[in-house]
Amino acid sequence: MAIEKAETLREREKFITTKNWIHEELDKTKNKFNDYDKKISTLKKSSGGTYSDDLILAQQIFDFINKNLHKYEEAKEQPYFARIDFREKRREKESFYIGKFGLNDEENNEEVVIDWRAPIANLYYSGTFGQSYYASPMGIIEGDLSLKRKFLVKDGGLEEIFDEGINELIVKTSAEGNELIDEFLKLNLEQSMSKKLKDVVATIQKEQNEIIRAYKNKPIIIQGSAGSGKTTVALHRLAYLIYTYGNEEKNENILVVAPNKLFIDYISDVLPNLGVYSVKQNTYEELCMEILKIKGKIITKDEKLAKIMEEEQINSVKYITSSSKVKGSLAFKSILDRYIKFLESKDSDVEDIEVEGYTLFTSKEIKKLYIRDLAHLPVKRRKEEIKKYFKQKVKDKVFSVEELIDRDYGFRVKDIKLAINISEEEKRKQIISVYNERDEKKKSLKVNSNKALKEFFSNWESLDLYKCYIELFNNEATFKEITKDTIPQKLYEYMREELNRNSQKKLIDSDDLTPLTYLKLKFEGTNLEKFMHLVVDEAQDYSYFQMHLLNEISQNSSMTIVGDLGQGIYNYKGIASWNKLIEGVFKQDATYIALSQSYRSTVEIISVANRVLEKQNLNLIPAMPVLRHGEMPKNIRVPSKDEEVKLIDTIVNEVYGKKKNSVAIICKTLSQCKELSKKLSKNSSFTWVLIGENENNINMERIIIPSYMTKGLEFDATIIYNCDDENYIDNDLDKKLLYVALTRALHLEYIIFSGNLTKLLQ
């Protein structure tokens, strides 16, 4: 839709006016910030560390000013990215400018910029021209949507203006892909890669927007093909949920579970750029270690995968993968549930609590509370509650025992009085002695009852769960009884030996973290509150048991789960079917959405990757790229190993000549990365960074990285290394690793090999 010159001039004037206003507000806010910073410092000195209403109020105002300061700093170069014109029923048409943050002119009581998460902003992302509506806290607001306008800002200036003339941004045209008619989106997609994942508030598509604004208290599972923006959508959903339902003080009670520390670093800018802070971002292993409150060396899933890929003994691979599969299954959770009952039964085998030969609390009473009445609580909490209850009841129990003492000693006094062979003087002495003994016993009872309780609960200690876990495997009779002899003998022996070997070396296999954490939650609970919301990325690589555990620590199953079965490189233990996850973990109560539109790579790159995806036979809809064309990925045979470095340098020069910035050489394994890194460090004209398994930050310019660590990452150009038929063979793991590697490039892709090209690409 063409925009008139006069309208363009008006928009440019509006843009400049808004920027000037923001700069004025920024200066005012900086002054307020400095004033309150000094005021707080003065109040702290004058209060001397004591409670001060003035100090608390000043701190609250300072925090509010600081938030505004961040908003103005972020908005000063790009105040907004869109405009909509909407006429609410029985009102005049209004123009609303939409930006990353809502900005208010307090003096004129005017909303200068609408936050992208505000209810009315939904019209920009999902509204249709003509009669339209949006949901607000006041109810459904109906009206007429007449304009959707987009602003491309570059270097702080308004560069181009686009009006959307149709409802759909992308028109389906063929099996090859989709015709991209949205020039605004096209210009954004063609930009070079930045060092970290960026927010996409200006280019969120309708299907993505619906996920972002979906209902909170229900798990939502997103099957997203490579480049569909599933990670970005999940993080923007988190920002939306915090804006709509959240309390900033509770942000620490929200968790993003990421596949590795490198990925956490890669996504680390998205939430702060959206004004969201203090959200926990952990790997699954870190989360378990925090719950278990232990430190130690973890054998990570990546290390285990590397071992599987490089292990030459087929039998060893079989046992490694089978052990992982068993420990990650819901069947193993059921085994642990039976073991928990077994341990509870042993733990409840207690005796009466006695004082002075009298029973304060019977073992039957203790067992009833422990096994039945408080069974819904973790064992540690049960014991705490029983102790608390007994402390409250001890006075009544002591009173009841005193009555028994009075009765027993009353009978003795009666016997003395009825005695016929004792003088009255002797009777009197004996009766006094009995009463003294009775009084001493009652006195001792009061003193020792609390002591008896303390000793009982001190002796009734919590179980050493790690020791219990090891004992499960080392007591063969118990193991067979608890597992109902469903695990083959040789596999059981392997699992037992591996666990004992790791224990001796003070290592913890990542496969054992879930069972140990589950035991901890059931027996002791955790000091962590349940998370208000969880984002689980690369979910296809988690086992069903891991997903069950994550669900247990979330409130109301509030989870955003994103993944791609086509990239399930841990398929020996990971999720093979989203339906099985929905049935087994969420009991059918989950929303499933598939995203097949790919915004990352060109048509040519996706078409090559889809060849490998089709060979996986997963019945997944192949990634459908928007029709952004580029060069065909180049298959280059390396004449000899001696010429590899020269070829790589030539490719890098070609990439830079095309004004692209980041290049990744993707090797299948870490050992291949290390070998290539040595060659390049000696002979390449460029400096390369080797990304290892424990890397926690990334320089995207020139890196060498193993295939399994690239998931979620993207680069301007990739070099798929050693892509011959001996390195990538026709098996499930190699199909997935190669698919992951082939879907990382935005613009350029080079496939280099010696010998014959892998059959997976033929």
Side-chain angles (χ1 to χ4, degrees), residues 493-554:
E493 289 171 0
Y494 170 83
M495 293 167 76
R496 180 184 62 197
E497 289 164 13
E498 181 189 42
L499 184 61
N500 289 332
R501 186 167 56 249
N502 289 337
S503 178
Q504 289 168 5
K505 294 179 180 179
K506 298 188 183 325
L507 297 173
I508 299 178
D509 193 317
S510 56
D511 288 333
D512 292 313
L513 282 176
T514 303
L516 285 168
T517 306
Y518 186 69
L519 288 174
K520 167 87 173 181
L521 292 177
K522 293 301 176 185
F523 272 91
E524 297 181 12
T526 172
N527 291 331
L528 292 175
E529 287 183 56
K530 282 198 171 188
F531 291 101
M532 294 190 330
H533 191 78
L534 272 78
V535 170
V536 185
D537 207 337
E538 302 296 345
Q540 75 281 347
D541 292 334
Y542 291 79
S543 70
Y544 296 102
F545 194 0
Q546 285 177 317
M547 292 303 299
H548 175 87
L549 186 71
L550 290 171
N551 189 41
E552 286 229 337
I553 60 173
S554 69

Side-chain angles (χ1 to χ4, degrees), residues 574-627:
I575 292 168
S577 161
W578 296 121
N579 283 335
K580 188 176 176 183
L581 175 67
I582 292 168
E583 291 169 10
V585 174
F586 299 116
K587 311 306 178 191
Q588 299 287 10
D589 191 21
T591 300
Y592 172 79
I593 298 172
L595 293 177
S596 58
Q597 189 70 60
S598 178
Y599 302 97
R600 177 186 295 148
S601 307
T602 61
V603 170
E604 290 74 19
I605 291 171
I606 290 293
S607 65
V608 171
N610 280 345
R611 290 182 209 164
V612 182
L613 180 65
E614 286 164 12
K615 288 181 171 66
Q616 293 187 30
N617 296 319
L618 291 171
N619 296 318
L620 295 174
I621 300 171
M624 295 290 290
V626 294
L627 271 188

Side-chain angles (χ1 to χ4, degrees), residues 557-574:
S557 295
S558 183
M559 303 172 73
T560 303
I561 299 162
V562 297
D564 179 12
L565 297 183
Q567 299 181 59
I569 58 177
Y570 303 90
N571 62 318
Y572 54 88
K573 68 168 184 178

Side-chain angles (χ1 to χ4, degrees), residues 92 96 100 249 300 384 428 434 495 520 616 674:
E92 295 297 316
F96 300 92
K100 196 185 291 185
E249 293 175 2
T300 68
E384 288 170 354
R428 189 179 68 78
V434 168
M495 293 167 76
K520 167 87 173 181
Q616 293 187 30
K674 289 176 178 176

Side-chain angles (χ1 to χ4, degrees), residues 372-416:
R372 195 180 75 184
D373 297 351
L374 298 172
H376 61 287
L377 296 176
V379 168
K380 186 178 179 182
R381 278 282 311 281
R382 289 184 224 175
K383 293 180 179 179
E384 288 170 354
E385 289 299 317
I386 294 170
K387 183 178 181 180
K388 184 178 174 183
Y389 174 69
F390 281 3
K391 278 187 173 182
Q392 291 172 345
K393 296 285 289 181
V394 72
K395 285 185 180 179
D396 292 338
K397 289 284 186 178
V398 167
F399 181 75
S400 297
V401 172
E402 283 180 331
E403 287 183 332
L404 290 175
I405 292 171
D406 285 338
R407 187 198 66 184
D408 291 345
Y409 278 84
F411 286 138
R412 285 178 61 183
V413 168
K414 187 177 180 181
D415 289 342
I416 293 169

Side-chain angles (χ1 to χ4, degrees), residues 340-350 362-386 389-390 456-457 460-463 522-523:
I340 287 165
K341 294 292 182 188
F342 172 81
L343 292 174
E344 284 178 347
S345 179
K346 283 180 65 177
D347 199 34
S348 66
D349 188 14
V350 294
T362 66
S363 62
K364 186 177 179 182
E365 188 177 2
I366 298 166
K367 286 180 182 179
K368 178 177 174 292
L369 289 166
Y370 182 85
I371 297 294
R372 195 180 75 184
D373 297 351
L374 298 172
H376 61 287
L377 296 176
V379 168
K380 186 178 179 182
R381 278 282 311 281
R382 289 184 224 175
K383 293 180 179 179
E384 288 170 354
E385 289 299 317
I386 294 170
Y389 174 69
F390 281 3
F456 174 83
F457 284 101
W460 201 23
E461 293 176 353
S462 296
L463 298 169
K522 293 301 176 185
F523 272 91

